[in-house]
């Protein structure tokens, strides 16, 4: 969780400076964005100095690499879980919440790259687990691959929201056994996590990072993934056996309809089986933008608590192509494969 910050998903990592530095479009460094003065808001290692010391070149490019497919597990006719062989270091980096990668069949054009959230990792064995819903040409091609795939990553901006810095502090706190600074008495943290469809994958990675030390209410809409897939991948999550993580099946559609109807009557109930939003340190909605917006409104989730999945269209992952661009009310364009300092209310239209 070290690298969650509100400026750029890659700043301060081994992928910084990135290709945007070469084109004068750095999201953080004013000098690498074409301006003469230094007025960045980054308090870490100087991006400009790193770029100059590296000979005016990108420090470490993410390159496509061939990886072995260790296992393919089908759940129904359109949901596939892939286990890929990677280095231990790659698996460790991929274990951070919000991580995603691009996969592509060997020999196919880069336009066939598919962005996929990391669901689980095994750093000791050098494995990553990906869940892919087979929808159209690109995902069908990935599903047809037998032995090898091209892999590129790790990318870090799979989660957004004003609650991201707090999410980092939650994990630091429980790992330190006290406050976020590692001092003081242990403070129990509470999360509410709601998922639907592909949002289940980043939820598993998130709970794995919590290591069974954050009391979590997990609400899973099983409509698109099924109970077998859920049980197979929650089995390794710490906290499931001792009650720290309580999982339950829900219909987010029914939940939102009830909440909207109650809100129209001036009532603001909590969904069955969970507490009021005030009882949670973080509320995470890993579903489509409709559910993110509707639940954030109906439950009146404060920005500082809200974390949600990044549903923007990902193409290159480096902020170059513009596919994930978000234009705000002032005309400023944010590259959502990297940016985090956007107005959450405007992003969701709330």
């Amino acid at each position: 969780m070290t690298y969650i910050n509100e400026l750029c998903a890659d700043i301060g990592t081994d992928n910084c400076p990135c290709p945007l530095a070469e084109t004068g479009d750095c999201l953080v460094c004013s000098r690498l964005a074409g301006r003469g003065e230094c007025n960045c808001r980054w308090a870490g290692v100087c991006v400009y100095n790193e770029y100059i010391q590296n000979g005016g070149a990108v420090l470490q490019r993410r390159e496509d690499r061939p990886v072995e497919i260790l296992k393919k597990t089908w759940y129904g006719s359109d949901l596939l879980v892939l286990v890929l062989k990677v280095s231990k270091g790659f698996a460790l980096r991929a274990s951070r919440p919000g991580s995603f990668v691009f996969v592509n069949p060997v020999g196919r054009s880069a336009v066939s790259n598919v962005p996929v959230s990391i669901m689980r990792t095994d750093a000791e064995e050098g494995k990553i687990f990906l869940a892919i819903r087979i929808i159209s040409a690109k995902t069908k091609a990935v599903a047809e691959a037998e032995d090898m795939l091209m892999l590129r990553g790790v990318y870090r901006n799979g989660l957004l929201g004003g609650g991201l810095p707090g999410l980092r502090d939650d994990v630091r706190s429980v790992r330190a056994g006290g406050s976020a600074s590692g001092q003081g008495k242990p403070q129990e943290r509470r999360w509410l996590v709601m998922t639907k469809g592909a949002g289940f994958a980043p939820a598993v990675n998130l709970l794995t990072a919590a290591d069974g030390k954050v009391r979590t209410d997990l609400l899973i809409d099983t409509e698109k993934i099924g109970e077998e897939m859920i049980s197979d991948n929650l089995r390794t999550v710490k906290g499931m056996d001792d009650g720290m993580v309580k999982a339950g099946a829900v219909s987010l559609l029914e939940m939102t309809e009830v909440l909207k109807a109650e809100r129209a009557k001036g009532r603001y109930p909590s969904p069955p089986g969970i507490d009021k939003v005030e009882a949670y340190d973080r509320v995470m909605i890993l579903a489509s933008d409709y559910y993110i917006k509707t639940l954030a409104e109906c439950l009146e989730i404060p920005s500082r608590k809200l974390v949600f999945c990044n549903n923007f269209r990902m193409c290159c992952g480096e902020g170059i192509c513009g596919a994930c661009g978000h234009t705000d009310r002032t005309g400023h364009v944010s590259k959502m494969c990297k940016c985090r300092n956007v107005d959450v209310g405007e992003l969701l239209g709330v």
Side-chain angles (χ1 to χ4, degrees), residues 218-248:
L218 174 62
L219 304 183
I220 307 169
D221 191 318
T222 62
E223 179 187 0
K224 295 183 178 180
I225 54 176
E227 294 183 1
E228 183 183 4
M229 195 270 200
I230 293 170
S231 61
D232 284 352
N233 291 282
L234 285 183
R235 191 175 295 124
T236 60
V237 172
K238 292 182 179 180
M240 292 295 298
D241 295 331
D242 60 11
M244 284 296 287
V245 178
K246 295 181 179 179

PDB file of all heavy atoms in Angstrom, residues 218-248:
ATOM      1  N   LEU A 218     -18.705  -7.998   3.671  1.00  0.00           N
ATOM      2  CA  LEU A 218     -18.546  -8.190   2.232  1.00  0.00           C
ATOM      3  C   LEU A 218     -19.880  -8.607   1.626  1.00  0.00           C
ATOM      4  O   LEU A 218     -20.399  -9.685   1.930  1.00  0.00           O
ATOM      5  CB  LEU A 218     -17.475  -9.253   1.967  1.00  0.00           C
ATOM      6  CG  LEU A 218     -17.262  -9.697   0.526  1.00  0.00           C
ATOM      7  CD1 LEU A 218     -16.795  -8.531  -0.343  1.00  0.00           C
ATOM      8  CD2 LEU A 218     -16.258 -10.842   0.461  1.00  0.00           C
ATOM      9  N   LEU A 219     -20.444  -7.752   0.778  1.00  0.00           N
ATOM     10  CA  LEU A 219     -21.711  -8.036   0.114  1.00  0.00           C
ATOM     11  C   LEU A 219     -21.427  -8.340  -1.354  1.00  0.00           C
ATOM     12  O   LEU A 219     -20.897  -7.496  -2.077  1.00  0.00           O
ATOM     13  CB  LEU A 219     -22.665  -6.841   0.230  1.00  0.00           C
ATOM     14  CG  LEU A 219     -22.977  -6.351   1.654  1.00  0.00           C
ATOM     15  CD1 LEU A 219     -23.983  -5.213   1.604  1.00  0.00           C
ATOM     16  CD2 LEU A 219     -23.492  -7.485   2.521  1.00  0.00           C
ATOM     17  N   ILE A 220     -21.781  -9.545  -1.791  1.00  0.00           N
ATOM     18  CA  ILE A 220     -21.441 -10.001  -3.136  1.00  0.00           C
ATOM     19  C   ILE A 220     -22.711 -10.261  -3.938  1.00  0.00           C
ATOM     20  O   ILE A 220     -23.564 -11.056  -3.514  1.00  0.00           O
ATOM     21  CB  ILE A 220     -20.610 -11.295  -3.085  1.00  0.00           C
ATOM     22  CG1 ILE A 220     -19.394 -11.129  -2.172  1.00  0.00           C
ATOM     23  CG2 ILE A 220     -20.170 -11.693  -4.483  1.00  0.00           C
ATOM     24  CD1 ILE A 220     -18.679 -12.436  -1.873  1.00  0.00           C
ATOM     25  N   ASP A 221     -22.829  -9.593  -5.055  1.00  0.00           N
ATOM     26  CA  ASP A 221     -23.915  -9.896  -5.992  1.00  0.00           C
ATOM     27  C   ASP A 221     -23.452 -11.072  -6.845  1.00  0.00           C
ATOM     28  O   ASP A 221     -22.507 -10.953  -7.625  1.00  0.00           O
ATOM     29  CB  ASP A 221     -24.215  -8.680  -6.866  1.00  0.00           C
ATOM     30  CG  ASP A 221     -25.495  -8.842  -7.664  1.00  0.00           C
ATOM     31  OD1 ASP A 221     -25.722  -9.947  -8.202  1.00  0.00           O
ATOM     32  OD2 ASP A 221     -26.268  -7.866  -7.770  1.00  0.00           O
ATOM     33  N   THR A 222     -24.103 -12.203  -6.692  1.00  0.00           N
ATOM     34  CA  THR A 222     -23.653 -13.438  -7.341  1.00  0.00           C
ATOM     35  C   THR A 222     -24.227 -13.634  -8.745  1.00  0.00           C
ATOM     36  O   THR A 222     -23.981 -14.665  -9.368  1.00  0.00           O
ATOM     37  CB  THR A 222     -24.037 -14.655  -6.484  1.00  0.00           C
ATOM     38  OG1 THR A 222     -25.468 -14.710  -6.379  1.00  0.00           O
ATOM     39  CG2 THR A 222     -23.433 -14.556  -5.099  1.00  0.00           C
ATOM     40  N   GLU A 223     -24.965 -12.664  -9.238  1.00  0.00           N
ATOM     41  CA  GLU A 223     -25.679 -12.843 -10.509  1.00  0.00           C
ATOM     42  C   GLU A 223     -24.761 -13.247 -11.661  1.00  0.00           C
ATOM     43  O   GLU A 223     -25.093 -14.129 -12.457  1.00  0.00           O
ATOM     44  CB  GLU A 223     -26.414 -11.553 -10.881  1.00  0.00           C
ATOM     45  CG  GLU A 223     -27.159 -11.656 -12.211  1.00  0.00           C
ATOM     46  CD  GLU A 223     -27.735 -10.330 -12.654  1.00  0.00           C
ATOM     47  OE1 GLU A 223     -27.567  -9.318 -11.944  1.00  0.00           O
ATOM     48  OE2 GLU A 223     -28.354 -10.299 -13.732  1.00  0.00           O
ATOM     49  N   LYS A 224     -23.587 -12.634 -11.757  1.00  0.00           N
ATOM     50  CA  LYS A 224     -22.734 -12.855 -12.923  1.00  0.00           C
ATOM     51  C   LYS A 224     -21.532 -13.758 -12.650  1.00  0.00           C
ATOM     52  O   LYS A 224     -20.755 -14.024 -13.566  1.00  0.00           O
ATOM     53  CB  LYS A 224     -22.242 -11.514 -13.466  1.00  0.00           C
ATOM     54  CG  LYS A 224     -23.357 -10.626 -14.007  1.00  0.00           C
ATOM     55  CD  LYS A 224     -22.787  -9.341 -14.599  1.00  0.00           C
ATOM     56  CE  LYS A 224     -23.893  -8.483 -15.190  1.00  0.00           C
ATOM     57  NZ  LYS A 224     -23.345  -7.225 -15.777  1.00  0.00           N
ATOM     58  N   ILE A 225     -21.341 -14.209 -11.405  1.00  0.00           N
ATOM     59  CA  ILE A 225     -20.146 -15.012 -11.141  1.00  0.00           C
ATOM     60  C   ILE A 225     -20.439 -16.366 -10.497  1.00  0.00           C
ATOM     61  O   ILE A 225     -19.697 -17.322 -10.715  1.00  0.00           O
ATOM     62  CB  ILE A 225     -19.127 -14.233 -10.273  1.00  0.00           C
ATOM     63  CG1 ILE A 225     -19.782 -13.709  -8.984  1.00  0.00           C
ATOM     64  CG2 ILE A 225     -18.505 -13.105 -11.054  1.00  0.00           C
ATOM     65  CD1 ILE A 225     -18.782 -13.018  -8.071  1.00  0.00           C
ATOM     66  N   GLY A 226     -21.464 -16.493  -9.712  1.00  0.00           N
ATOM     67  CA  GLY A 226     -21.808 -17.787  -9.153  1.00  0.00           C
ATOM     68  C   GLY A 226     -21.081 -18.127  -7.871  1.00  0.00           C
ATOM     69  O   GLY A 226     -19.975 -17.640  -7.607  1.00  0.00           O
ATOM     70  N   GLU A 227     -21.691 -18.994  -7.071  1.00  0.00           N
ATOM     71  CA  GLU A 227     -21.166 -19.312  -5.747  1.00  0.00           C
ATOM     72  C   GLU A 227     -19.893 -20.149  -5.784  1.00  0.00           C
ATOM     73  O   GLU A 227     -19.048 -20.039  -4.905  1.00  0.00           O
ATOM     74  CB  GLU A 227     -22.247 -20.041  -4.941  1.00  0.00           C
ATOM     75  CG  GLU A 227     -23.449 -19.159  -4.637  1.00  0.00           C
ATOM     76  CD  GLU A 227     -24.481 -19.856  -3.773  1.00  0.00           C
ATOM     77  OE1 GLU A 227     -24.237 -21.024  -3.398  1.00  0.00           O
ATOM     78  OE2 GLU A 227     -25.518 -19.239  -3.471  1.00  0.00           O
ATOM     79  N   GLU A 228     -19.743 -21.015  -6.790  1.00  0.00           N
ATOM     80  CA  GLU A 228     -18.544 -21.850  -6.858  1.00  0.00           C
ATOM     81  C   GLU A 228     -17.292 -21.000  -7.047  1.00  0.00           C
ATOM     82  O   GLU A 228     -16.272 -21.215  -6.387  1.00  0.00           O
ATOM     83  CB  GLU A 228     -18.665 -22.852  -8.004  1.00  0.00           C
ATOM     84  CG  GLU A 228     -17.469 -23.811  -8.082  1.00  0.00           C
ATOM     85  CD  GLU A 228     -17.550 -24.759  -9.265  1.00  0.00           C
ATOM     86  OE1 GLU A 228     -18.500 -24.634 -10.072  1.00  0.00           O
ATOM     87  OE2 GLU A 228     -16.659 -25.625  -9.382  1.00  0.00           O
ATOM     88  N   MET A 229     -17.368 -20.024  -7.956  1.00  0.00           N
ATOM     89  CA  MET A 229     -16.230 -19.137  -8.192  1.00  0.00           C
ATOM     90  C   MET A 229     -15.900 -18.335  -6.935  1.00  0.00           C
ATOM     91  O   MET A 229     -14.736 -18.135  -6.585  1.00  0.00           O
ATOM     92  CB  MET A 229     -16.553 -18.210  -9.365  1.00  0.00           C
ATOM     93  CG  MET A 229     -15.333 -17.506  -9.944  1.00  0.00           C
ATOM     94  SD  MET A 229     -15.012 -15.930  -9.135  1.00  0.00           S
ATOM     95  CE  MET A 229     -14.014 -15.130 -10.364  1.00  0.00           C
ATOM     96  N   ILE A 230     -16.930 -17.887  -6.239  1.00  0.00           N
ATOM     97  CA  ILE A 230     -16.730 -17.107  -5.013  1.00  0.00           C
ATOM     98  C   ILE A 230     -16.047 -17.953  -3.942  1.00  0.00           C
ATOM     99  O   ILE A 230     -15.046 -17.533  -3.349  1.00  0.00           O
ATOM    100  CB  ILE A 230     -18.083 -16.578  -4.501  1.00  0.00           C
ATOM    101  CG1 ILE A 230     -18.649 -15.553  -5.480  1.00  0.00           C
ATOM    102  CG2 ILE A 230     -17.921 -15.953  -3.113  1.00  0.00           C
ATOM    103  CD1 ILE A 230     -20.077 -15.156  -5.191  1.00  0.00           C
ATOM    104  N   SER A 231     -16.565 -19.145  -3.692  1.00  0.00           N
ATOM    105  CA  SER A 231     -15.998 -19.987  -2.634  1.00  0.00           C
ATOM    106  C   SER A 231     -14.568 -20.412  -2.954  1.00  0.00           C
ATOM    107  O   SER A 231     -13.713 -20.466  -2.061  1.00  0.00           O
ATOM    108  CB  SER A 231     -16.877 -21.216  -2.414  1.00  0.00           C
ATOM    109  OG  SER A 231     -16.950 -22.004  -3.591  1.00  0.00           O
ATOM    110  N   ASP A 232     -14.281 -20.704  -4.221  1.00  0.00           N
ATOM    111  CA  ASP A 232     -12.930 -21.117  -4.603  1.00  0.00           C
ATOM    112  C   ASP A 232     -11.898 -20.032  -4.324  1.00  0.00           C
ATOM    113  O   ASP A 232     -10.750 -20.333  -3.951  1.00  0.00           O
ATOM    114  CB  ASP A 232     -12.879 -21.479  -6.094  1.00  0.00           C
ATOM    115  CG  ASP A 232     -13.497 -22.836  -6.381  1.00  0.00           C
ATOM    116  OD1 ASP A 232     -13.821 -23.556  -5.419  1.00  0.00           O
ATOM    117  OD2 ASP A 232     -13.656 -23.169  -7.571  1.00  0.00           O
ATOM    118  N   ASN A 233     -12.284 -18.776  -4.484  1.00  0.00           N
ATOM    119  CA  ASN A 233     -11.306 -17.694  -4.386  1.00  0.00           C
ATOM    120  C   ASN A 233     -11.335 -16.953  -3.058  1.00  0.00           C
ATOM    121  O   ASN A 233     -10.405 -16.201  -2.758  1.00  0.00           O
ATOM    122  CB  ASN A 233     -11.503 -16.727  -5.543  1.00  0.00           C
ATOM    123  CG  ASN A 233     -11.110 -17.344  -6.875  1.00  0.00           C
ATOM    124  OD1 ASN A 233      -9.942 -17.448  -7.198  1.00  0.00           O
ATOM    125  ND2 ASN A 233     -12.095 -17.786  -7.651  1.00  0.00           N
ATOM    126  N   LEU A 234     -12.375 -17.170  -2.259  1.00  0.00           N
ATOM    127  CA  LEU A 234     -12.373 -16.623  -0.902  1.00  0.00           C
ATOM    128  C   LEU A 234     -11.734 -17.583   0.087  1.00  0.00           C
ATOM    129  O   LEU A 234     -11.451 -17.215   1.220  1.00  0.00           O
ATOM    130  CB  LEU A 234     -13.798 -16.298  -0.448  1.00  0.00           C
ATOM    131  CG  LEU A 234     -14.464 -15.051  -1.028  1.00  0.00           C
ATOM    132  CD1 LEU A 234     -15.827 -14.854  -0.412  1.00  0.00           C
ATOM    133  CD2 LEU A 234     -13.594 -13.805  -0.810  1.00  0.00           C
ATOM    134  N   ARG A 235     -11.502 -18.810  -0.350  1.00  0.00           N
ATOM    135  CA  ARG A 235     -10.960 -19.830   0.539  1.00  0.00           C
ATOM    136  C   ARG A 235      -9.603 -19.422   1.117  1.00  0.00           C
ATOM    137  O   ARG A 235      -9.264 -19.797   2.244  1.00  0.00           O
ATOM    138  CB  ARG A 235     -10.828 -21.143  -0.222  1.00  0.00           C
ATOM    139  CG  ARG A 235     -10.516 -22.347   0.655  1.00  0.00           C
ATOM    140  CD  ARG A 235     -10.521 -23.630  -0.151  1.00  0.00           C
ATOM    141  NE  ARG A 235     -11.849 -23.928  -0.688  1.00  0.00           N
ATOM    142  CZ  ARG A 235     -12.114 -24.116  -1.976  1.00  0.00           C
ATOM    143  NH1 ARG A 235     -11.149 -24.020  -2.867  1.00  0.00           N
ATOM    144  NH2 ARG A 235     -13.336 -24.411  -2.369  1.00  0.00           N
ATOM    145  N   THR A 236      -8.815 -18.670   0.360  1.00  0.00           N
ATOM    146  CA  THR A 236      -7.474 -18.300   0.811  1.00  0.00           C
ATOM    147  C   THR A 236      -7.446 -16.982   1.580  1.00  0.00           C
ATOM    148  O   THR A 236      -6.393 -16.578   2.070  1.00  0.00           O
ATOM    149  CB  THR A 236      -6.531 -18.179  -0.399  1.00  0.00           C
ATOM    150  OG1 THR A 236      -7.024 -17.161  -1.292  1.00  0.00           O
ATOM    151  CG2 THR A 236      -6.438 -19.493  -1.148  1.00  0.00           C
ATOM    152  N   VAL A 237      -8.588 -16.309   1.676  1.00  0.00           N
ATOM    153  CA  VAL A 237      -8.635 -15.002   2.340  1.00  0.00           C
ATOM    154  C   VAL A 237      -8.660 -15.187   3.851  1.00  0.00           C
ATOM    155  O   VAL A 237      -9.556 -15.843   4.403  1.00  0.00           O
ATOM    156  CB  VAL A 237      -9.874 -14.201   1.879  1.00  0.00           C
ATOM    157  CG1 VAL A 237     -10.023 -12.931   2.707  1.00  0.00           C
ATOM    158  CG2 VAL A 237      -9.760 -13.855   0.398  1.00  0.00           C
ATOM    159  N   LYS A 238      -7.689 -14.608   4.534  1.00  0.00           N
ATOM    160  CA  LYS A 238      -7.656 -14.680   5.993  1.00  0.00           C
ATOM    161  C   LYS A 238      -8.811 -13.857   6.575  1.00  0.00           C
ATOM    162  O   LYS A 238      -9.141 -12.793   6.081  1.00  0.00           O
ATOM    163  CB  LYS A 238      -6.326 -14.153   6.525  1.00  0.00           C
ATOM    164  CG  LYS A 238      -5.134 -15.020   6.196  1.00  0.00           C
ATOM    165  CD  LYS A 238      -3.864 -14.457   6.812  1.00  0.00           C
ATOM    166  CE  LYS A 238      -2.651 -15.327   6.501  1.00  0.00           C
ATOM    167  NZ  LYS A 238      -1.416 -14.774   7.101  1.00  0.00           N
ATOM    168  N   GLY A 239      -9.397 -14.384   7.637  1.00  0.00           N
ATOM    169  CA  GLY A 239     -10.497 -13.701   8.296  1.00  0.00           C
ATOM    170  C   GLY A 239     -11.848 -14.309   7.993  1.00  0.00           C
ATOM    171  O   GLY A 239     -12.831 -14.017   8.677  1.00  0.00           O
ATOM    172  N   MET A 240     -11.914 -15.181   6.977  1.00  0.00           N
ATOM    173  CA  MET A 240     -13.178 -15.816   6.643  1.00  0.00           C
ATOM    174  C   MET A 240     -13.603 -16.820   7.722  1.00  0.00           C
ATOM    175  O   MET A 240     -14.794 -16.996   7.990  1.00  0.00           O
ATOM    176  CB  MET A 240     -13.075 -16.532   5.295  1.00  0.00           C
ATOM    177  CG  MET A 240     -12.914 -15.610   4.102  1.00  0.00           C
ATOM    178  SD  MET A 240     -14.364 -14.555   3.829  1.00  0.00           S
ATOM    179  CE  MET A 240     -15.631 -15.771   3.493  1.00  0.00           C
ATOM    180  N   ASP A 241     -12.631 -17.461   8.350  1.00  0.00           N
ATOM    181  CA  ASP A 241     -12.939 -18.504   9.334  1.00  0.00           C
ATOM    182  C   ASP A 241     -13.232 -17.953  10.721  1.00  0.00           C
ATOM    183  O   ASP A 241     -14.005 -18.548  11.477  1.00  0.00           O
ATOM    184  CB  ASP A 241     -11.788 -19.510   9.418  1.00  0.00           C
ATOM    185  CG  ASP A 241     -11.595 -20.282   8.120  1.00  0.00           C
ATOM    186  OD1 ASP A 241     -12.588 -20.470   7.401  1.00  0.00           O
ATOM    187  OD2 ASP A 241     -10.445 -20.678   7.830  1.00  0.00           O
ATOM    188  N   ASP A 242     -12.600 -16.839  11.082  1.00  0.00           N
ATOM    189  CA  ASP A 242     -12.768 -16.326  12.445  1.00  0.00           C
ATOM    190  C   ASP A 242     -13.782 -15.188  12.545  1.00  0.00           C
ATOM    191  O   ASP A 242     -13.941 -14.582  13.605  1.00  0.00           O
ATOM    192  CB  ASP A 242     -11.425 -15.876  13.022  1.00  0.00           C
ATOM    193  CG  ASP A 242     -10.779 -14.757  12.205  1.00  0.00           C
ATOM    194  OD1 ASP A 242     -11.461 -14.189  11.322  1.00  0.00           O
ATOM    195  OD2 ASP A 242      -9.592 -14.457  12.438  1.00  0.00           O
ATOM    196  N   GLY A 243     -14.465 -14.872  11.451  1.00  0.00           N
ATOM    197  CA  GLY A 243     -15.513 -13.863  11.495  1.00  0.00           C
ATOM    198  C   GLY A 243     -15.053 -12.445  11.246  1.00  0.00           C
ATOM    199  O   GLY A 243     -15.879 -11.519  11.254  1.00  0.00           O
ATOM    200  N   MET A 244     -13.763 -12.221  11.042  1.00  0.00           N
ATOM    201  CA  MET A 244     -13.298 -10.873  10.717  1.00  0.00           C
ATOM    202  C   MET A 244     -13.857 -10.410   9.367  1.00  0.00           C
ATOM    203  O   MET A 244     -14.119  -9.230   9.159  1.00  0.00           O
ATOM    204  CB  MET A 244     -11.770 -10.818  10.708  1.00  0.00           C
ATOM    205  CG  MET A 244     -11.141 -10.813  12.074  1.00  0.00           C
ATOM    206  SD  MET A 244     -11.567  -9.339  13.051  1.00  0.00           S
ATOM    207  CE  MET A 244     -10.581  -8.078  12.240  1.00  0.00           C
ATOM    208  N   VAL A 245     -14.016 -11.358   8.459  1.00  0.00           N
ATOM    209  CA  VAL A 245     -14.633 -11.058   7.165  1.00  0.00           C
ATOM    210  C   VAL A 245     -15.939 -11.835   7.085  1.00  0.00           C
ATOM    211  O   VAL A 245     -15.947 -13.070   7.124  1.00  0.00           O
ATOM    212  CB  VAL A 245     -13.717 -11.455   5.985  1.00  0.00           C
ATOM    213  CG1 VAL A 245     -14.412 -11.163   4.654  1.00  0.00           C
ATOM    214  CG2 VAL A 245     -12.391 -10.717   6.068  1.00  0.00           C
ATOM    215  N   LYS A 246     -17.049 -11.118   7.011  1.00  0.00           N
ATOM    216  CA  LYS A 246     -18.366 -11.736   6.906  1.00  0.00           C
ATOM    217  C   LYS A 246     -18.910 -11.487   5.505  1.00  0.00           C
ATOM    218  O   LYS A 246     -19.143 -10.344   5.121  1.00  0.00           O
ATOM    219  CB  LYS A 246     -19.313 -11.161   7.957  1.00  0.00           C
ATOM    220  CG  LYS A 246     -18.908 -11.475   9.392  1.00  0.00           C
ATOM    221  CD  LYS A 246     -19.899 -10.898  10.382  1.00  0.00           C
ATOM    222  CE  LYS A 246     -19.497 -11.226  11.821  1.00  0.00           C
ATOM    223  NZ  LYS A 246     -20.461 -10.642  12.798  1.00  0.00           N
ATOM    224  N   ALA A 247     -19.092 -12.575   4.767  1.00  0.00           N
ATOM    225  CA  ALA A 247     -19.552 -12.468   3.384  1.00  0.00           C
ATOM    226  C   ALA A 247     -21.015 -12.864   3.282  1.00  0.00           C
ATOM    227  O   ALA A 247     -21.458 -13.823   3.931  1.00  0.00           O
ATOM    228  CB  ALA A 247     -18.703 -13.347   2.477  1.00  0.00           C
ATOM    229  N   GLY A 248     -21.755 -12.136   2.450  1.00  0.00           N
ATOM    230  CA  GLY A 248     -23.155 -12.448   2.234  1.00  0.00           C
ATOM    231  C   GLY A 248     -23.548 -12.145   0.801  1.00  0.00           C
ATOM    232  O   GLY A 248     -22.976 -11.254   0.161  1.00  0.00           O
TER     233      GLY A 248
END
